[in-house]
Amino acid sequence: MRIVLLGPPGAGKGTQSSRLAQVLRVPHLSTGDILRAAIREATPLGLKAKAAVDSGALVEDEIINGCVGERLAKRDAEGGFILDGFPRTVDQATMLDTYLRHTGDEVDVAFELVVGLDHLQQRVVKRAREAMAGGEAVRSDDNEIALQKRVVAYLQHAASLSDFYRQQGKLVQVDGLAEINAVTSSLTDHIASTMPRHPPFA
Ligand code: AMP
């Protein structure tokens, strides 16, 4: 099962992706997590991506596409994956389709978590507070200025990206403001009803 999660920053893509990955027993691949780890470890990828990530801008397609291609080539992603934070642009979505076509695969569903912009700041502030309370590092881009830039980057591409998957008949929009377990149920119910032979539903 190959799933992509779309939605603005703070919509809950990370939480829902990780829940789906557990249920479906496929890896959760978050491009944001991959980039943050690369930055922490100061790898060549991290050094190239750091300025864009810290400021809230998108990392260049060439860099991110290469990094996703490498990750998808790993054995654990052969049977499926949940992609969180990728694709963010139509060019990235096209690259993903081209990549998957080589192995005769395709994206099965694109879930979009729909959350109004007026809720995002509140959610990101909450995430930063929870990280601090739990003794974790606060994301370098969970601040007001970077968030604004992330929202602008999202808005630039969101409609065309949704259209891309709508035209393929793969877009499923879910109310991202619903209670967290209700969102997960909407996603798993959709998968169970459209792909009933996929474990664990079979
Ligand atoms: P996220 O954790 O998904 O919010 O991503 C954090 C940051 O990583 C973004 O603001 C971008 O700077 C970068 N990033 C993650 N995924 C992508 C992507 N698909 N394309 C470009 N930049 C990305």
Side-chain angles (χ1 to χ4, degrees):
M1 168 118 354
R2 293 168 182 83
I3 296 177
V4 300
L5 257 92
L6 316 178
K13 297 189 295 295
T15 305
Q16 297 300 336
S17 297
S18 120
R19 287 174 164 216
L20 273 187
Q22 269 189 348
V23 173
L24 299 171
R25 294 183 220 115
V26 292
H28 166 201
L29 312 181
S30 152
T31 43
D33 285 351
I34 294 172
L35 292 171
R36 281 184 287 278
I39 291 170
R40 260 196 318 274
E41 289 155 25
T43 66
L45 169 67
L47 295 176
K48 278 190 232 160
K50 183 173 176 12
V53 172
D54 285 351
S55 74
L58 290 184
V59 171
E60 283 170 43
D61 277 356
E62 198 187 319
I63 298 175
I64 199 80
N65 286 349
C67 141
V68 169
E70 267 176 38
R71 183 60 189 87
L72 293 183
K74 294 203 172 146
R75 181 168 273 187
D76 66 338
E78 272 172 15
F81 51 76
I82 314 288
L83 258 180
D84 157 16
F86 187 98
R88 268 173 153 94
T89 66
V90 169
D91 283 350
Q92 292 180 5
T94 305
M95 171 271 170
L96 180 61
D97 278 3
T98 308
Y99 180 93
L100 292 175
R101 213 170 293 132
H102 283 132
T103 45
D105 297 316
E106 59 177 315
V107 169
D108 294 299
V109 55
F111 285 123
E112 179 179 345
L113 300 182
V114 180
V115 174
L117 296 187
D118 41 340
H119 294 273
L120 298 180
Q121 173 140 8
Q122 207 180 310
R123 284 186 159 215
V124 166
V125 168
K126 187 166 163 246
R127 177 162 70 195
R129 279 209 194 108
E130 283 171 359
M132 265 192 287
E136 291 166 31
V138 175
R139 282 174 49 156
S140 60
D141 58 352
D142 269 354
N143 61 69
E144 208 173 316
I145 296 169
L147 176 64
Q148 268 178 16
K149 206 159 175 178
R150 288 158 65 200
V151 170
V152 170
Y154 168 75
L155 290 175
Q156 249 174 344
H157 300 283
S160 48
L161 187 57
S162 301
D163 278 347
F164 179 90
Y165 285 113
R166 188 178 288 114
Q167 279 163 18
Q168 294 188 355
K170 292 177 178 169
L171 183 73
V172 176
Q173 292 176 309
V174 172
D175 176 11
L177 285 177
E179 198 270 321
I180 190 164
N181 292 327
V183 177
T184 311
S185 299
S186 301
L187 305 180
T188 52
D189 286 354
H190 177 84
I191 297 165
S193 66
T194 53
M195 288 162 264
R197 288 172 49 201
H198 191 283
F201 306 114

